[in-house]
Amino acid sequence: MKLSLLPWALLLLVTAPDPGPWPAAGAQGSCSHRCGVQDGPCSCHPTCFGLASCCSDIRDFCLEILPYSGSIMGGKDFVIQHLNWSNPTDSVICSFKESIQTRGFVDSSGRVHCVSPLLYETGRIPFTLSMDNGRSFPRSGTWLAVHPSKVSESEKSQLVNETRWQYYGTASAQGNLTLTWNTLALPTNSITVELWGYEETGKPYSQEWTAAWSYLYSLATSITNSGSFTFTPKPAPQDYQRWKVGALRIVSSKHAGEKDVHALWSNEHALAWHLGDDFRADPVAWARAQCLAWEELEDQLPNFLEEVPDCPCTLAQAQADSGRFQADYGCDIEHGSVCTYHPGAVHCVRSVQASPLYGSGQQCCYTAAGTQLLTADSTSGSTPDRGHDWGAPPYRVPPRVPGLSHWIYDVISFYYCCLWAPECSYYMQRRPSSDCHSYQPPRLASAFGDPHFVTFDGTNFTFNGRGEYVLLEASGTDLRLQARAQTRMTPEGSQDRGTGLTAVAVQEGNSDVVEVRLRDGAGALQVLLNQEVLSFKEQSWMDLKGMFLSVAAGDRVSVMLSSGAGLEVSVQGPFLSVAVLLPDKFLTHTRGLLGTLNDNPSDDFTLRSGQVLPPSASSRELFQFGADWAVENASSLLTYDSKFLVENFLLRPKHDPNFLPLFPEETTSSPSQESEAAKLCGDNNFCNLDVAATGSLSVGNATLLVHRRHLLRAQSLQPVVSCGWLAPPSNGHKEGMRYLVGSTVHFHCDSGYSLAGAEASTCQTDGTWSQPTPTCQRGRSSAVLLGVIFGGLAVVALVALVYVLLRRNKSNTAVWDSQP
């Protein structure tokens, strides 16, 4: 929006007449077909609410919906807010992505409803609304489609004792099965329970490879909506046997078999309960045959393992490398997961981004001691995935369909080989764990406090500018990170002569723009997507264009970018703290306040011109260095949606030349605070500086805590030498599953074999083992040989004893015979 239009827009809001319920499409001053547009006499852009420059009908055409999210399985009823139609004269049609249409309706209160469709992708899905039976779609909004695992349990039907459903037909699972649901979530008197099957057909990795959900058959028709359904499964007709993965759907009986209607879905699951008599007669033999068929198919497919990332070496690294790895919701130490499929593990992580060519994923699991579990040592080990569990852009086609492709290529095969048949070795051979032999931890930089900066190469400095600045620019991926720094208002009502970060915005290439800022006076975070404030009441995780976004407990936001870069923003005291993680691909490609990532701290103070300030530069020189990295209006990622932000940051210079902070060498604590500051801060210069600059121990304490957190994380991300997996000897075994520097593995042979070679091998600092794996040779082991030797000696001793006793007995007999 052009600022000169602001007073006019304010006047327009006050004086404009009511345009009526349905302005003509594209009418002057209307938001019909103009949502997101700032030009014109009034704005249809989300920032207009704060600037009071909105067109009067913006809520009629730029739609707000509730709820705003639901499963990619579809069937969720949502209401268009602020839009009432008391006397509908035509049908409502909702169009998603301009190609998928569902039938909407108007309820008795005049509220307009849409139903989300069955989708094959996650993320923000654009939709448009027609009130004239599809002749025009002038109204638009956004629906958030989420991974089925991230949907509230209250929005699903529940498989009672789900494990029993997925083992039904095996020796331990017979009898009835029960399905339950919340009747209020599907307001109808009569329901039908249906089975839908999922499959991916066509030649893998070709244009003919397609994904499809199909209605198979109904388990019950026109039954009372009681919230519970119990049945005894029967083998499905032969025509339906090819579907091995599916879900149950509950719908109103009048919509039985129809797509994209209001419905409740169960979790997707292995359809053991509907398989044929051949499965029930001998589940192990049936599953073994399926496992071998899967093995044969896998051997014909491309080797996706070559492009999945290496696992972090330790649990600490895995948790710290949050730009590339996130907790696996099935085995998460922070949420008390039981790690059902990885006994012995306490935590697993999954690679955030799918691999570029095959859309595959990585999984890494760790013990309580922080050691990675490998499938070569244990079936509890971490297994990579041909289909990334979270899917991969552009989604919709195999193996990139969120959740479901993973089921087809990685989960149901695990049932065949490991759960229904004792053939897990086949599975593990084709899903071997990645060890960390080539893993390189990311580089860490931080900004926090007054503010203070720790660059990627470890340089510490303070820059107290007031304005908007470039924290990071990176060529190659066109990563840009910008921040706003403002002064703090003291409890007494005056302003500090120091500043702190209050907003941070990031974009990579043509990705979405995410901004995290402090909400006015609340000490809480506010997140904006492309300058629109987001709500996290329903979802704390969002799949966005070129990134994933996660919010934890309202005080920490994580952004995971497609390049593997990660950003964490949190509230610490009165300001934001920022942590940035960059993988090695960014080496020599960065500039800005967070320095030049090249393992050379001496050039971290590089100006835009290329001139380099020396590491010994004074605080006043560093102030000029910071000022040189002021954001330019034309390239700003930050949002200006209030009069204050417009007047203080959009219209004024990006670096305030009139603001002069207290420089570190000029700050002194008051005598009354010196002892308290010394007790609190110790030798932490950042903490001492902030207490002196603000007169606040709480500000100093916040700085101290976040700096300690940075140091702890930096320590966790230190490179670790790994020698890689070491095989046990044939006809023997080994003790030890840790392969990092200093670890020792011991070798033993089976009975009847003897060890030829070293009994132990130690991982050395150069990444090699001190000894190769020995061999176990057939023959008498040392224990057997010793047994033979000592056994022979025992026999000799026994013979000698018998001989002595016999001689003594003979002598006694001779004496007895010579008496009278």
Side-chain angles (χ1 to χ4, degrees):
M1 190 197 90
K2 295 179 180 177
L3 196 72
S4 59
L5 294 177
L6 180 58
W8 190 93
L10 287 168
L11 181 62
L12 176 69
L13 262 182
V14 175
T15 60
D18 184 354
W22 320 121
Q28 184 75 5
S30 171
C31 284
S32 174
H33 293 291
R34 293 184 62 243
C35 290
V37 177
Q38 291 176 294
D39 296 333
C42 57
S43 174
C44 300
H45 191 271
T47 55
C48 73
F49 291 102
L51 297 172
S53 60
C54 298
C55 296
S56 59
D57 63 1
I58 186 171
R59 292 190 181 277
D60 292 333
F61 288 95
C62 304
L63 305 178
E64 180 183 336
I65 62 175
L66 195 68
Y68 63 77
S69 67
S71 170
I72 62 173
M73 301 299 292
K76 186 75 170 289
D77 174 23
F78 61 87
V79 179
I80 312 298
Q81 303 294 296
H82 316 295
L83 182 63
N84 280 63
W85 199 8
S86 300
N87 298 300
T89 57
D90 235 328
S91 298
V92 175
I93 295 178
C94 312
S95 178
F96 296 80
K97 298 200 74 172
E98 301 181 353
S99 60
I100 307 170
Q101 292 189 351
T102 65
R103 181 73 62 177
F105 64 95
V106 181
D107 64 22
S108 58
S109 301
R111 298 184 305 170
V112 180
H113 294 245
C114 284
V115 175
S116 66
L118 174 62
L119 297 164
Y120 296 83
E121 63 183 300
T122 55
R124 288 166 60 88
I125 309 298
F127 76 91
T128 53
L129 180 68
S130 172
M131 311 287 285
D132 55 11
N133 201 32
R135 291 187 293 274
S136 64
F137 291 84
R139 298 168 179 82
S140 61
T142 302
W143 170 252
L144 180 63
V146 301
H147 192 289
S149 67
K150 293 182 170 62
V151 175
S152 166
E153 294 301 314
S154 64
E155 298 179 25
K156 305 177 186 178
S157 57
Q158 304 297 319
L159 307 176
V160 178
N161 191 352
E162 187 168 343
T163 300
R164 192 160 174 265
W165 283 74
Q166 304 194 89
Y167 278 85
Y168 195 90
T170 63
S172 59
Q174 305 291 333
N176 293 335
L177 296 176
T178 298
L179 178 73
T180 62
W181 63 93
N182 178 6
T183 58
L184 297 178
L186 189 66
T188 183
N189 294 325
S190 176
I191 58 99
T192 292
V193 180
E194 306 169 339
L195 174 63
W196 287 63
Y198 179 80
E199 62 180 345
E200 296 184 352
T201 58
K203 183 180 179 181
Y205 303 104
S206 73
Q207 292 184 347
E208 291 76 38
W209 205 9
T210 58
W213 276 101
S214 302
Y215 166 74
L216 302 186
Y217 52 86
S218 294
L219 298 176
T221 304
S222 300
I223 63 173
T224 302
N225 185 11
S226 64
S228 179
F229 169 63
T230 298
F231 70 109
T232 302
K234 298 178 181 179
Q238 188 63 37
D239 291 347
Y240 299 110
Q241 292 292 309
R242 77 171 192 263
W243 280 279
K244 309 298 194 302
V245 175
L248 296 181
R249 191 182 79 154
I250 304 173
V251 295
S252 170
S253 294
K254 64 181 180 180
H255 294 308
E258 295 181 25
K259 284 188 66 176
D260 302 330
V261 294
H262 192 188
L264 295 177
W265 290 85
S266 73
N267 285 335
E268 69 276 16
H269 58 279
L271 298 180
W273 56 271
H274 106 132
L275 295 177
D277 289 324
D278 53 344
F279 172 75
R280 297 191 180 192
D282 193 342
V284 173
W286 183 94
R288 179 179 290 114
Q290 296 291 328
C291 176
L292 295 176
W294 169 80
E295 177 192 34
E296 183 178 352
L297 173 63
E298 275 291 306
D299 290 343
Q300 299 171 17
L301 297 179
N303 181 11
F304 73 92
L305 298 173
E306 295 176 350
E307 65 167 5
V308 293
D310 290 313
C311 284
C313 291
T314 65
L315 175 57
Q317 282 183 336
Q319 291 177 300
D321 191 354
S322 58
R324 294 183 290 183
F325 295 92
Q326 285 286 303
D328 184 341
Y329 48 79
C331 185
D332 184 355
I333 194 172
E334 294 183 4
H335 292 87
S337 300
V338 291
C339 305
T340 303
Y341 299 122
H342 302 278
V346 297
H347 191 70
C348 295
V349 296
R350 290 188 181 274
S351 57
V352 172
Q353 303 294 337
S355 65
L357 183 59
Y358 298 120
S360 304
Q362 181 64 278
Q363 184 193 52
C364 315
C365 296
Y366 301 87
T367 67
T371 302
Q372 187 193 357
L373 277 171
L374 303 181
T375 52
D377 294 324
S378 166
T379 56
S380 300
S382 36
T383 53
D385 304 316
R386 182 171 291 279
H388 195 295
D389 186 26
W390 302 345
Y395 304 106
R396 301 191 63 79
V397 296
R400 298 173 176 269
V401 179
L404 281 310
S405 291
H406 177 55
W407 257 99
I408 292 295
Y409 294 100
D410 304 295
V411 180
I412 192 65
S413 48
F414 184 78
Y415 276 81
Y416 296 154
C417 301
C418 298
L419 301 184
W420 294 343
E423 306 293 348
C424 211
S425 61
Y426 289 104
Y427 186 87
M428 296 304 171
Q429 287 171 10
R430 282 150 186 83
R431 293 292 185 271
S433 301
S434 158
D435 65 22
C436 70
H437 192 63
S438 301
Y439 171 76
Q440 294 294 325
R443 310 303 180 92
L444 173 67
S446 294
F448 52 89
D450 203 33
H452 313 292
F453 298 84
V454 183
T455 71
F456 292 107
D457 290 342
T459 301
N460 296 342
F461 72 99
T462 297
F463 167 60
N464 279 141
R466 181 188 184 277
E468 295 173 351
Y469 305 94
V470 174
L471 296 184
L472 172 66
E473 288 181 351
S475 58
T477 68
D478 193 22
L479 172 60
R480 294 183 293 155
L481 180 63
Q482 301 173 359
R484 178 180 294 137
Q486 296 176 242
T487 55
R488 181 186 75 108
M489 189 68 70
T490 68
E492 294 76 25
S494 61
Q495 287 191 338
D496 286 335
R497 285 186 61 188
T499 59
L501 302 184
T502 58
V504 178
V506 63
Q507 182 182 36
E508 186 170 54
N510 65 345
S511 75
D512 286 328
V513 178
V514 167
E515 180 178 346
V516 184
R517 66 187 185 187
L518 286 173
R519 197 165 57 200
D520 291 341
L525 294 179
Q526 188 177 65
V527 183
L528 295 86
L529 175 65
N530 301 325
Q531 301 187 341
E532 179 181 4
V533 177
L534 291 176
S535 168
F536 293 92
K537 291 181 179 179
E538 296 177 25
Q539 298 295 329
S540 61
W541 178 282
M542 294 187 184
D543 301 3
L544 305 176
K545 182 182 178 182
M547 62 178 69
F548 294 100
L549 174 67
S550 174
V551 174
D555 63 356
R556 187 172 77 252
V557 175
S558 298
V559 181
M560 294 137 276
L561 300 157
S562 59
S563 64
L567 169 69
E568 289 190 6
V569 184
S570 59
V571 180
Q572 202 70 36
F575 298 121
L576 300 178
S577 69
V578 180
V580 185
L581 295 157
L582 295 183
D584 270 4
K585 69 170 72 173
F586 286 89
L587 273 167
T588 73
H589 289 87
T590 72
R591 61 182 200 155
L593 295 185
L594 294 180
T596 306
L597 173 54
N598 60 1
D599 296 321
N600 179 15
S602 66
D603 63 356
D604 277 347
F605 303 139
T606 300
L607 303 175
R608 271 194 165 104
S609 65
Q611 178 186 352
V612 178
L613 300 182
S616 59
S618 69
S619 57
R620 288 183 178 270
E621 290 175 312
L622 292 178
F623 188 73
Q624 294 306 313
F625 160 72
D628 187 62
W629 282 105
V631 171
E632 298 172 351
N633 267 340
S635 59
S636 176
L637 303 177
L638 295 154
T639 302
Y640 311 96
D641 57 354
S642 70
K643 182 180 178 182
F644 173 82
L645 292 174
V646 168
E647 292 180 349
N648 287 273
F649 294 98
L650 182 62
L651 296 183
R652 292 184 180 178
K654 290 299 186 183
H655 170 74
D656 186 350
N658 299 317
F659 178 76
L660 191 65
L662 282 173
F663 294 103
E665 61 269 20
E666 299 171 2
T667 57
T668 56
S669 298
S670 64
S672 60
Q673 277 191 330
E674 280 189 7
S675 60
E676 291 178 291
K679 182 178 180 181
L680 171 68
C681 302
D683 60 356
N684 189 292
N685 292 332
F686 289 153
C687 174
N688 281 305
L689 177 60
D690 285 3
V691 172
T694 65
S696 170
L697 290 170
S698 64
V699 172
N701 185 56
T703 298
L704 178 67
L705 292 176
V706 72
H707 189 216
R708 284 177 175 172
R709 191 165 66 212
H710 167 89
L711 295 174
L712 180 61
R713 189 171 201 167
Q715 181 60 38
S716 297
L717 290 172
Q718 287 298 306
V720 176
V721 175
S722 169
C723 293
W725 180 71
L726 189 61
S730 298
N731 303 307
H733 60 280
K734 66 180 183 183
E735 291 180 20
M737 297 189 299
R738 185 175 177 88
Y739 309 115
L740 306 182
V741 64
S743 301
T744 298
V745 174
H746 297 270
F747 305 102
H748 305 279
C749 290
D750 297 338
S751 178
Y753 293 85
S754 59
L755 196 69
E759 295 183 353
S761 186
T762 300
C763 180
Q764 302 174 117
T765 56
D766 63 354
T768 63
W769 290 100
S770 61
Q771 301 291 336
T773 298
T775 59
C776 290
Q777 299 178 348
R778 184 176 293 278
R780 293 175 176 175
S781 67
S782 58
V784 172
L785 183 60
L786 289 174
V788 171
I789 293 172
F790 284 109
L793 292 175
V795 170
V796 171
L798 181 61
V799 171
L801 179 62
V802 170
Y803 175 77
V804 169
L805 291 174
L806 287 174
R807 289 282 303 224
R808 183 178 297 174
N809 185 52
K810 184 176 180 180
S811 173
N812 289 340
T813 302
V815 170
W816 179 266
D817 290 343
S818 64
Q819 291 178 350

